[in-house]
Amino acid sequence: MRKVVCSILFIWLFVSTYGQRSEDIRWNPSNGMNFVEFLEVWKPGMPVSEDDNFFISRVKLKERFENVKTQVHQELNTERQLCWWTPMGDGKKQWKSFPRNQFEADNFSMWQYVDIHGNWGDGWFRVPGVFNDAAHKNGVCTGCVLFINWGESVRKPGDRVYDLFVKLTEKDEYGRFRYAERLILFLKYYGIDGIGINPEGVWSADIASEVQDFFAELHVQAKVQGLKGFHIDWYDSNDNNGRLSFGQNALQNRNRDWFQKGNRVVSNMFMLNYNIDNWGGNKDPMGESARNAVAYGRSSYDVYAGFYLRGRGLSSYDFEPREGKGWEVLKDKPVSVCLWGEHERNNIHNASREYGEDSLTVQQTYLRKLEYFFTGGTRNPVNAPVVTNTITTVNEKDMQRFHGISTFFPARSAIRELPFVTRFNLGNGFFFNKEGKTVNTLAWYNIGMQDWMPSWRWWVTGRDERVPGDAVRCDFVFEDAWFGGSCLKLHGATGYSKVRLFKTDISVDGHVELAFTCKVEGSDDSYLKVILSRVGTEAEFIEIPVRQEVKPGQWQTIRCKLGDFGIQAGERIACIGLVVENTPEDYEAFIGELSLTDPRVKYNPVRPDILATKVIREYNDSLDFKLVWDVMPLVNREKDMPVMNEAVDTWYYEVYVRESLRGKARLVATTTSWAAYVCGVPVLPGGKGLWLGVRAVAPDGKRTSKITWERVK
C-alpha cells in the first residue's frame, strides 16, 4: 500500500474514455469547498451537484440467510468474514465503477464469498451509485478509502490529513463531535455502508486519540440513525499513539485503541499485515490476535488476516512458498480474511493479460481466474485442490493448483423473495440484446445491471454426488445474450451432470410460475431439465423437462406452474439448477433467463419525470448525452432519505432516443440509477430533431411504465 502519489482529497481527475471526459460528470462533493465546510451546511436532500443522481444508491442492503444443507462443505460456518479490499472499475482510478461506453473493465461477480467490498478505488466520500447497487443486491457492504502514504506526516497544521481530521473531529460546546451524526447521514443518504483508512503516516498522539474517539462515535451514530452494515476498515500499521509500527503483526495492547478503545468499537475490519505465520519473534500472531480480541470483548472474527493479491496473493509472505504456513495455518485460526491488491486495479484483473491485450481475451481470462481464486483451481468447489501455501503468482497455470476461497468460506446468498429473475448478464458487453435481438451495437459497462450470478461456480456432480469425469463445462460467454451482453453456456459431452446454480430461500405456492429461456445449437433435443429442491428436503430434486419446441439455434422459453410438480403453499425453494444428460461432444446450450414469478402480483412501475437533459458533444453521425430523472413515490419512505427502486415497483430503467416526434424509439442504455450518461449514440447526419426518453421496468422484468420523452434539439 506504499509508493503512490497522494491525490488531493475529494477531487478526481479523468481523461477521455472514447467520448467521455472528466468534466461531463461532476464528482467533486463540495463544489470546490473543503468537505467539512460543505458538511457544515449539508442536510439530507441537499444535492452535492447537478449530477447527484449518479451517486445515490437505489438498492437497499439485502439480508443474507443461512442454510447449512445447501453448502458444499457443511462443516464451514459463516462467522469468518471476507473483505475484498481492492479497486473496482477501469483500472485507471478515473471512471472507476462508473457506467461507460467500453467493454473491458472489472465486472466482479463473486459476491457470494464476500462480506465487505472495501472499494479501494473510491476515496472519501464519493462512490458511483451503481457499484453500491450491485453489492447491496448481493448482501455485500460497501465502502470508500482515505489513503495516507507511507511516512506521510499527520502531525501538524498544514499536513493534508491532519487538517482534515482537526476539522472533522471538531466538538461543540457540550464536548460532542459536531460532524459525527451528519457524516453518518451523508453516508446513509448516498448508500455508502462504511469507510476505510490506509493509515501509513506518522501521526501525532493527540490527533490519533481524537480520531479513535471520533470513529467510536460514528458507530454510535450509525446505530442511532439506522445505517445498517456500517463498518470501519483499518490497516494495522500504527500503534495507539499513531507511530508507524507493525509490532509483532498482531492485535495487542500496543495497537488495541484502533480496534477497541475501552468498551467502544473503533474499527470492524482490523486487517493485520501479510505475515500471518510469524513476525518479530511472534510465532502465532493470528492465534494471539484472536485471543486478545475475545479478551477485549469482541469477536475474534473482527480480526482479519491480510493477503496481498500480487506477489503474495496465493501464499502468505512475499516470495516464500513455505509449506505448513499461511493458508495451511489459517484453517485452524478463528479469524477473518482481507484480500488487498491494489491501488488502481484489483490484481487478478490486472494480471489477466497473459494471453493477449484484446478486451475479450482479458475478460475471459479474468472470469476464469476469479473462479480459480474463489472456488478453486478445478472450478468446482466439490473437488478443489488441497490447501496450499506454495503459490506466489496469479498466473493461470499456478492458480489451477489453488484451493480456493470456498475451502474457507461457504457461498452466501440474499435470494429470498419473489420475483427471482436472472438473465446471466455480467454487466458489460460488445452489444445489447433484448429478448435475444440486438437493439444496439454500442460497447458498454454498467455493474449495476449485473444479474444474480450463480451461487457456485461450478457445483457440478453426477448421480452419486461426486464430480463426474465427463462433467459438462460451464462458462459465461459474450458471444450471445437473451438480455444484455452475456449469457451462460453449457457445452461438451456428459452422461449426467447436475449443475446447482442458485442457493435460495424463496416462499412459493402452486401458482408461482417458472420460466426458462435457452438456445440449443444443432440439435432437436435440449438435453436439459430444470431442477428445484425444497427447504427441508434439500437433497431431493424435482425435475422439469425442457422440451425442444423450436428449431435448433433459436431462443425458446418454457413456462410451467410449480403446482404442476407438487409444490404447495407454505413451501420454500432451497436450490435451483439444471440437469444435463447424454449430450454429444459438440453440444452447446446458451442459457438466457431463469425466473420464478407470481402472475397474481401486478406491478405498477412509476413513470419517471425528466429533470435535466444535455447533449454534451455532437459529431457527424453520433453524439454524447446526459439524462437525469426523478420518480415521485406512491408509497411512504424513510424521512429525508432517497427513494429506493423497490418502493416505486422498479428494477431498472431503459433509456431511449428517437429522431422525430413519431420516430422509432431506440434503446441505448439501461441502469439502476436515476441518471444515464451515454456516449457514441448513432444519429442521422444533419438530423433536425432529437428526443430522449426513459421508462421504468418492473421487478419481474416484463411490465414497464410509459416512456417519458423530452426534446433536446
Side-chain angles (χ1 to χ4, degrees):
M1 302 184 191
R2 306 176 184 176
K3 298 180 181 177
V4 167
V5 177
C6 300
S7 58
I8 300 174
L9 283 174
F10 317 120
I11 298 177
W12 287 263
L13 299 177
F14 305 93
V15 297
S16 298
T17 302
Y18 298 91
Q20 295 169 319
R21 298 178 185 173
S22 58
E23 66 271 17
D24 295 344
I25 301 295
R26 299 188 64 182
W27 288 64
N28 191 345
S30 56
N31 294 321
M33 300 164 58
N34 178 279
F35 177 75
V36 182
E37 294 174 0
F38 176 76
L39 204 60
E40 176 85 41
V41 299
W42 181 84
K43 59 182 179 180
M46 175 182 173
V48 168
S49 76
E50 64 195 37
D51 292 325
D52 244 29
N53 277 354
F54 287 104
F55 301 97
I56 297 173
S57 176
R58 300 292 178 176
V59 178
K60 286 184 178 180
L61 177 63
K62 302 298 183 183
E63 293 185 7
R64 289 169 161 181
F65 63 89
E66 294 190 33
N67 186 345
V68 172
K69 293 182 180 179
T70 52
Q71 290 180 190
V72 177
H73 304 295
Q74 296 190 8
E75 73 279 6
L76 295 178
N77 65 52
T78 55
E79 291 184 88
R80 195 195 297 266
Q81 304 286 288
L82 182 71
C83 177
W84 184 249
W85 215 11
T86 75
M88 182 76 176
D90 66 348
K92 300 186 182 74
K93 255 188 176 180
Q94 294 165 346
W95 288 100
K96 304 169 183 152
S97 53
F98 200 81
R100 54 195 176 277
N101 62 318
Q102 71 179 66
F103 166 73
E104 208 292 294
D106 183 0
N107 58 353
F108 181 79
S109 59
M110 303 299 284
W111 305 98
Q112 66 271 37
Y113 293 106
V114 174
D115 297 280
I116 298 171
H117 193 308
N119 186 20
W120 187 270
D122 284 305
W124 286 7
F125 300 97
R126 206 62 164 157
V127 178
V130 291
F131 165 75
N132 290 325
D133 290 348
H136 289 170
K137 174 179 179 174
N138 288 277
V140 175
C141 298
T142 63
C144 53
V145 174
L146 170 63
F147 178 75
I148 303 172
N149 207 353
W150 176 257
E152 180 179 355
S153 177
V154 190
R155 292 177 291 189
K156 62 186 184 304
D159 291 344
R160 177 183 70 107
V161 180
Y162 183 91
D163 288 347
L164 167 67
F165 278 130
V166 164
K167 294 176 182 177
L168 197 57
T169 60
E170 184 179 309
K171 295 177 180 176
D172 62 18
E173 63 270 27
Y174 303 104
R176 300 172 301 195
F177 287 108
R178 185 184 305 276
Y179 300 111
E181 176 184 353
R182 195 163 294 186
L183 178 56
I184 289 296
L185 287 173
F186 188 91
L187 297 174
K188 183 179 179 181
Y189 188 86
Y190 288 98
I192 305 169
D193 305 310
I195 58 176
I197 304 93
N198 180 78
E200 296 175 89
V202 181
W203 301 50
S204 65
D206 61 336
I207 200 65
S209 181
E210 285 293 286
V211 171
Q212 292 157 8
D213 293 338
F214 181 70
F215 286 173
E217 181 60 21
L218 289 180
H219 284 90
V220 173
Q221 290 299 324
K223 187 174 182 179
V224 171
Q225 302 303 327
L227 177 52
K228 295 181 180 179
F230 178 69
H231 57 96
I232 292 180
D233 307 330
W234 179 262
Y235 173 47
D236 174 43
S237 59
N238 299 75
D239 67 14
N240 294 331
N241 293 319
R243 293 173 298 213
L244 276 170
S245 170
F246 290 104
Q248 292 185 315
N249 197 46
L251 173 62
Q252 301 170 327
N253 286 334
R254 67 169 183 88
N255 57 3
R256 65 170 290 179
D257 288 352
W258 292 110
F259 177 73
Q260 180 93 1
K261 196 168 186 180
N263 62 353
R264 297 173 297 164
V265 174
V266 176
S267 63
N268 312 79
M269 196 287 287
F270 191 83
M271 174 192 167
L272 295 170
N273 201 32
Y274 313 113
N275 314 296
I276 69 176
D277 313 314
N278 55 70
W279 179 257
N282 188 343
K283 295 183 179 180
D284 185 22
M286 295 304 105
E288 180 187 5
S289 299
R291 293 188 293 271
N292 284 339
V294 173
Y296 300 154
R298 297 278 294 280
S299 168
S300 65
Y301 292 103
D302 290 343
V303 174
Y304 287 67
F307 283 86
Y308 179 9
L309 288 174
R310 189 174 64 184
R312 320 176 190 189
L314 306 185
S315 69
S316 62
Y317 182 71
D318 273 323
F319 302 100
E320 300 181 25
R322 298 169 293 170
E323 295 184 3
K325 303 293 184 179
W327 290 104
E328 297 169 60
V329 170
L330 193 62
K331 284 191 303 183
D332 302 317
K333 303 298 180 184
V335 297
S336 295
V337 174
C338 180
L339 301 156
W340 181 79
E342 191 163 345
H343 294 280
E344 297 182 348
R345 179 182 311 201
N346 102 55
N347 274 330
I348 295 179
H349 184 205
N350 193 43
S352 295
R353 288 164 166 73
E354 59 194 274
Y355 302 115
E357 294 283 339
D358 66 283
S359 59
L360 179 58
T361 297
V362 172
Q363 283 285 286
Q364 290 173 329
T365 305
Y366 178 52
L367 283 169
R368 290 195 305 274
K369 288 190 172 184
L370 279 180
E371 292 171 5
Y372 297 143
F373 187 78
F374 281 95
T375 58
T378 63
R379 296 173 68 224
N380 187 333
V382 176
N383 66 339
V386 297
V387 175
T388 179
N389 196 58
T390 63
I391 306 170
T392 58
T393 79
V394 286
N395 295 330
E396 181 162 15
K397 185 177 180 180
D398 285 340
M399 294 185 79
Q400 289 171 345
R401 297 190 292 114
F402 190 56
H403 52 265
I405 294 300
S406 63
T407 301
F408 290 77
F409 298 85
R412 272 68 62 87
S413 175
I415 305 173
R416 58 192 312 177
E417 60 189 6
L418 293 175
F420 163 69
V421 184
T422 181
R423 287 106 169 227
F424 303 95
N425 169 38
L426 284 159
N428 60 333
F430 291 107
F431 54 83
F432 199 101
N433 279 10
K434 184 175 180 179
E435 296 186 346
K437 305 294 184 183
T438 300
V439 294
N440 75 60
T441 56
L442 299 173
W444 63 281
Y445 167 86
N446 187 334
I447 195 65
M449 288 301 298
Q450 187 178 92
D451 277 311
W452 291 114
M453 293 288 102
S455 304
W456 308 279
R457 303 254 282 272
W458 302 90
W459 187 354
V460 183
T461 57
R463 289 186 174 88
D464 60 359
E465 295 301 336
R466 297 181 180 180
V467 178
D470 64 346
V472 71
R473 285 172 284 168
C474 306
D475 292 287
F476 281 104
V477 295
F478 298 99
E479 62 196 85
D480 206 342
W482 175 248
F483 180 92
S486 58
C487 65
L488 172 60
K489 182 179 180 180
L490 306 181
H491 54 114
T494 184
Y496 180 96
S497 291
K498 180 189 295 178
V499 186
R500 289 174 171 87
L501 289 175
F502 296 100
K503 181 185 180 84
T504 68
D505 189 19
I506 303 172
S507 296
V508 295
D509 60 27
H511 295 281
V512 170
E513 182 178 88
L514 180 143
F516 178 70
T517 300
C518 66
K519 177 196 289 189
V520 179
E521 298 288 353
S523 175
D524 292 327
D525 190 343
S526 77
Y527 303 96
L528 289 169
K529 296 175 183 176
V530 179
I531 57 173
L532 308 171
S533 72
R534 304 173 174 93
V535 172
T537 55
E538 287 83 357
E540 300 174 14
F541 285 88
I542 299 166
E543 295 186 346
I544 302 172
V546 179
R547 296 181 178 85
Q548 185 72 2
E549 297 176 350
V550 302
K551 293 180 180 180
Q554 295 183 5
W555 290 104
Q556 71 164 8
T557 300
I558 67 158
R559 293 182 174 84
C560 64
K561 301 288 187 182
L562 296 188
D564 296 340
F565 294 88
I567 291 180
Q568 301 174 1
E571 295 189 307
R572 306 202 311 274
I573 302 300
C575 182
I576 309 174
L578 298 169
V579 162
V580 192
E581 292 185 89
N582 301 320
T583 59
E585 185 62 39
D586 61 353
Y587 177 69
E588 291 186 331
F590 298 90
I591 313 302
E593 183 172 309
L594 178 61
S595 68
L596 291 174
T597 59
D598 189 339
R600 296 166 298 180
V601 177
K602 304 299 181 184
Y603 295 101
N604 184 28
V606 180
R607 188 177 185 179
D609 294 320
I610 293 177
L611 295 179
T613 60
K614 183 178 182 181
V615 175
I616 301 172
R617 278 175 296 277
E618 294 185 68
Y619 310 96
N620 288 335
D621 56 358
S622 65
L623 55 81
D624 308 336
F625 71 83
K626 184 166 60 178
L627 182 67
V628 181
W629 58 89
D630 193 12
V631 183
M632 296 300 294
L634 302 179
V635 295
N636 293 327
R637 64 182 175 95
E638 187 175 357
K639 185 177 183 293
D640 296 328
M641 287 292 123
V643 177
M644 297 292 105
N645 283 337
E646 64 183 25
V648 289
D649 270 5
T650 296
W651 173 4
Y652 59 89
Y653 298 88
E654 295 179 334
V655 176
Y656 290 86
V657 299
R658 68 182 183 192
E659 295 176 70
S660 67
L661 183 61
R662 294 179 177 81
K664 181 180 179 181
R666 291 186 285 126
L667 178 66
V668 294
T670 59
T671 187
T672 51
S673 290
W674 291 13
Y677 172 50
V678 188
C679 293
V681 177
V683 293
L684 294 174
K688 297 181 179 179
L690 182 72
W691 281 257
L692 303 181
V694 59
R695 72 176 178 186
V697 179
D700 62 0
K702 304 299 181 185
R703 296 176 178 86
T704 66
S705 72
K706 292 183 178 180
I707 301 177
T708 300
W709 291 100
E710 183 163 317
R711 185 171 182 173
V712 294
K713 57 173 290 195

